[in-house]
Amino acid sequence: MSSLAGLPPAYWSLAAGVLGLLVGSFLNVVILRLPARLQHGWVREAEAILAEARGESAPQADPASPAPPGIVREPSHCPHCRHPLAVRDNIPVLSWLLLRGRCRYCRAPISPQYPLVELLTGVLSAVVIGHFGPTLQGAAALPFTWVLVAAAGVDLRTQLLPDPLTLPLLWLGLLLALLPVFADPVQAILGAALGYLALWSMYWAFRLLTGKEGMGYGDFKLLAALGAWMGAWALLPIVLISSVVGAVIGSSYLALSRKGHGVPIPFGPYLAIAGWIWLLAGPALTHWYLGFFLHG
């Protein structure tokens, strides 16, 4: 262990980057399969409730519409020809490049989402360990980063922020506060409660004024999780950063896609970006802000 601790920081960052590439491959599976699994479960629950209300027995599973593939057990396969993928087809980023973005078996195009998520997760993981080093904070910031990547990916594709991602992130933040790692217990509890209530209040105010839903409940839970990790004092900067990032990216997307302003844009990815930035650079940004406005 002492020899490992003496390794140069670059080695730790490189190892984290490689680990991030591998985890990114799994996150692609989560992004693609988790929403389908959840939706299938919701349909089955609704059918059971309706059957119970009619006094009927619970409906049997329909062989014509089987459950979507599981996240862990079912091996990777081409979504077009359903051919199982070999190990050589699952090398992060490299396989996509060597195959030129097409399936080896049916030559159907492979979404660039796969290498992009893998590369993003690898780079962010390397940055995290480069910033925190091989410390408890670094070890905690890695799963924090991975969950944010998965949550943002799911939200971008489906406009859902699933509880299986946001709630474990919330509870892990509260548990880490017992040590503490990033925020003390009081700040973590206040951050979780105020984070949820802040967006919940905005949601209902917007709905009462316009009759429309401006965001989803998953956004409340994600901000609550960020508050649990970084404390109540981080909530306002996170919301401000996410609003700025959302305004820049959202307006650019609408301009390039030439879509109307009524197109719904998920807010979760912007919260994820802002939360990740604040976890790594919160103190530095605070110091810059105070120095710029108070002394400049």
Side-chain angles (χ1 to χ4, degrees):
M1 292 298 294
S2 59
S3 60
L4 290 177
L7 290 175
Y11 284 90
W12 289 104
S13 295
L14 179 61
V18 173
L19 176 61
L21 288 173
L22 298 174
V23 172
S25 182
F26 174 71
L27 295 185
N28 272 313
V29 176
V30 174
I31 292 170
L32 294 171
R33 296 186 184 182
L34 179 58
R37 295 282 298 182
L38 291 175
Q39 185 174 7
H40 182 269
W42 296 334
V43 171
R44 295 289 297 163
E45 290 176 6
E47 291 174 345
I49 293 172
L50 291 174
E52 183 180 358
R54 294 192 297 261
E56 302 172 356
S57 59
Q60 299 297 318
D62 185 2
S65 58
I71 296 174
V72 177
R73 293 186 179 181
E74 281 81 354
S76 298
H77 56 267
C78 173
H80 301 281
C81 67
R82 315 299 295 179
H83 194 289
L85 300 182
V87 174
R88 61 177 178 169
D89 302 322
N90 273 321
I91 303 173
V93 182
L94 184 60
S95 291
W96 190 88
L97 293 174
L98 293 176
L99 292 171
R100 298 182 180 180
R102 292 189 175 275
C103 172
R104 182 187 302 276
Y105 309 98
C106 68
R107 305 309 298 166
I110 302 172
S111 171
Q113 172 193 311
Y114 292 94
L116 288 177
V117 170
E118 292 163 353
L119 188 60
L120 175 65
T121 309
V123 170
L124 294 183
S125 300
V127 172
V128 162
I129 296 303
H131 178 78
F132 291 113
T135 62
L136 181 58
Q137 286 185 322
L142 283 177
F144 175 85
T145 300
W146 300 337
V147 173
L148 289 185
V149 170
V154 171
D155 202 13
L156 282 172
R157 287 179 58 88
T158 65
Q159 296 186 20
L160 292 173
L161 279 173
D163 286 352
L165 294 176
T166 56
L167 295 186
L169 190 67
L170 168 62
W171 289 113
L172 181 58
L174 292 174
L175 290 174
L176 289 174
L178 297 175
L179 296 176
V181 179
F182 295 105
D184 61 67
V186 173
Q187 277 293 309
I189 294 172
L190 285 175
L194 294 177
Y196 188 94
L197 290 174
L199 292 189
W200 179 87
S201 302
M202 293 173 60
Y203 166 88
W204 279 106
F206 185 82
R207 185 171 182 177
L208 291 173
L209 290 173
T210 66
K212 302 177 182 179
E213 295 184 358
M215 62 183 67
Y217 277 65
D219 297 319
F220 314 164
K221 298 167 188 175
L222 180 56
L223 186 58
L226 298 178
W229 277 74
M230 289 167 276
W233 291 111
L235 293 174
L236 181 58
I238 288 174
V239 171
L240 292 176
I241 294 173
S242 62
S243 299
V244 172
V245 172
V248 173
I249 297 178
S251 59
S252 301
Y253 169 76
L254 292 176
L256 293 174
S257 62
R258 297 182 180 180
K259 294 183 178 180
H261 291 281
V263 176
I265 297 177
F267 189 50
Y270 309 135
L271 281 176
I273 292 172
W276 189 83
I277 290 174
W278 196 258
L279 184 75
L280 271 69
L285 290 175
T286 301
H287 179 77
W288 171 84
Y289 175 84
L290 294 176
F292 182 82
F293 287 97
L294 297 183
H295 304 291

